[in-house]
């Protein structure tokens, strides 16, 4: 309008910023109500063995079906929940739900059931009692520790080194696996890899996206895979969307992958169906 065109630029910016702040406040309020109302859901995205297409695990991914906003992305609300501290309670809900769900998969198959991989935010990890809570969930669900992976981020490893290292060591001593999520995008001082022992690197999608078009990225990924092999770390490539990406990663020695090429995140019901009938995976290469 003529009026807003005549306003100083800072004031228009201020109004937009104000609207955004109000919206975030609203979302925050709704977030805590959603937790009380049991409105969150988990989806489970298959993690597959590259060679066989076999589903070896599932990553639990938070979903918030919102009455008016539609499906709100965790990329939007997880950071808000981190800020407000709600992530501690929300993360506890995720852990409880995912662990009990995974425990039920074992009853569907005779052999080794798929593992579940749970994202843990920095603030959640640093909450006193976190490690004990993980062990409690395993005990109450009956899920073998080996079938739980916790995904942490590189940024966690910048914190109070001794405490974090001790917690990770305690988790792994109990058989739980620890993976570094979005590997390669963080502060990636690779030095933490020898200080903090982990099991798995989740190679960030940004590497996967560029591997087919950039020779340098291809070399870099091959270097990461060699380093991982040397350190006995397994690697899961994230966000594989094309056959070319799949082929090149497999050829470079990446054993596991996750992405829309194999499967989208599934509802708990669909994930259970896939566990029960792995032959219907559709992808046996
Ligand atoms: P993330 O842990 O790196 O999860 C992988 C994300 O990539 C998921 O997004 C997944 O749906 C998406 N993805 C998987 N395959 C493909 C693909 O082939 N193409 C594309 N374009 N995307 C793919 P989502 O579910 O939206 O989650 C976003 C992020 O939110 C997660 O990234 C994670 O950092 C966070 N998040 C999700 N659930 C939780 C949770 O329970 N706790 C915490 N703390 N964070 C969570
Ligand atoms: Mg993750
Ligand atoms: Mg990831
Ligand atoms: Mg990622």
């Amino acid at each position: 309008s003529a009026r807003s065109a005549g306003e100083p630029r800072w004031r228009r910016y201020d109004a937009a910023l104000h609207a955004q702040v109000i919206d975030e406040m609203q979302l925050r309020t709704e977030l805590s109500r959603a937790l009380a109302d049991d409105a969150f859901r988990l989806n489970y995205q298959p993690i597959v063995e590259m060679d066989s297409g076999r589903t070896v695990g599932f990553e639990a991914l938070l979903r918030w079906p919102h009455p008016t906003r539609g499906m709100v992305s965790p990329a939007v609300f997880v950071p808000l929940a981190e800020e407000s501290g709600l992530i501690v309670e929300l993360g506890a809900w995720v852990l409880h739900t995912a662990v009990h769900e995974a425990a039920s998969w074992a009853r569907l198959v005779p052999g080794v059931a798929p593992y579940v991989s749970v994202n843990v935010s920095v603030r959640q990890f640093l909450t006193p009692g976190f490690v004990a809570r993980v062990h409690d969930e395993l005990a109450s669900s009956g899920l073998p520790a080996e079938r739980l992976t916790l995904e942490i981020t590189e940024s966690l490893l910048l914190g109070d080194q001794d405490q974090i290292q001790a917690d990770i060591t305690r988790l792994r001593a109990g058989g739980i696996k620890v993976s570094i999520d979005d590997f390669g995008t963080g502060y990636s001082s690779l030095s933490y890899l020898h200080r903090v022992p982990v099991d798995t690197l989740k190679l960030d999608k940004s590497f996967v996206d560029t591997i087919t078009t950039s020779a340098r990225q291809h070399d870099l990924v091959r270097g990461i895979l060699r380093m991982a092999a040397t350190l006995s770390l397994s690697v899961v490539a994230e966000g594989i969307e094309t056959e070319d990406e799949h082929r090149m990663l497999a050829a470079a020695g990446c054993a596991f992958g996750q992405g829309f090429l194999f499967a989208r995140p599934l509802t708990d019901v669909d994930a259970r169906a896939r566990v029960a009938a792995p032959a219907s995976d559709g992808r046996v290469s």
Side-chain angles (χ1 to χ4, degrees), residues 42 45 59-63 73-75 78 82 87 91 94 118-121 124 151 181-182 202 204-205 238-241 258-261 263 265:
L42 288 182
Q45 188 179 31
E59 178 175 6
L61 293 163
L62 253 176
R63 292 293 176 264
S73 167
V78 167
E82 275 258 337
I87 194 68
V94 170
V118 176
N119 292 285
V120 177
S121 82
Q124 181 187 1
E151 300 193 7
D181 205 354
D182 305 330
K202 295 197 77 177
D204 191 70
K205 177 170 170 38
E238 295 189 299
I240 300 175
E241 293 179 347
Q258 186 180 349
F260 296 168
L261 176 67

Side-chain angles (χ1 to χ4, degrees), residues 71 101 103 155 184 191 197 214 223 262:
M71 194 66 80
E101 183 66 23
S155 57
S191 63
S214 157
F262 307 110

Side-chain angles (χ1 to χ4, degrees), residues 104-160:
S104 80
W105 297 339
R107 295 189 279 277
L108 300 172
V109 281
V112 176
Y115 64 86
V116 71
S117 201
V118 176
N119 292 285
V120 177
S121 82
V122 172
R123 188 149 176 188
Q124 181 187 1
F125 192 98
L126 296 178
T127 302
F130 173 73
V131 174
R133 181 184 280 272
V134 174
H135 285 122
D136 287 351
E137 293 295 358
L138 289 176
S140 70
S141 67
L143 184 72
E146 295 71 26
R147 290 220 301 276
L148 174 63
T149 297
L150 299 178
E151 300 193 7
I152 60 174
T153 55
E154 289 172 334
S155 57
L156 177 71
L157 305 173
L158 295 177
D160 175 4

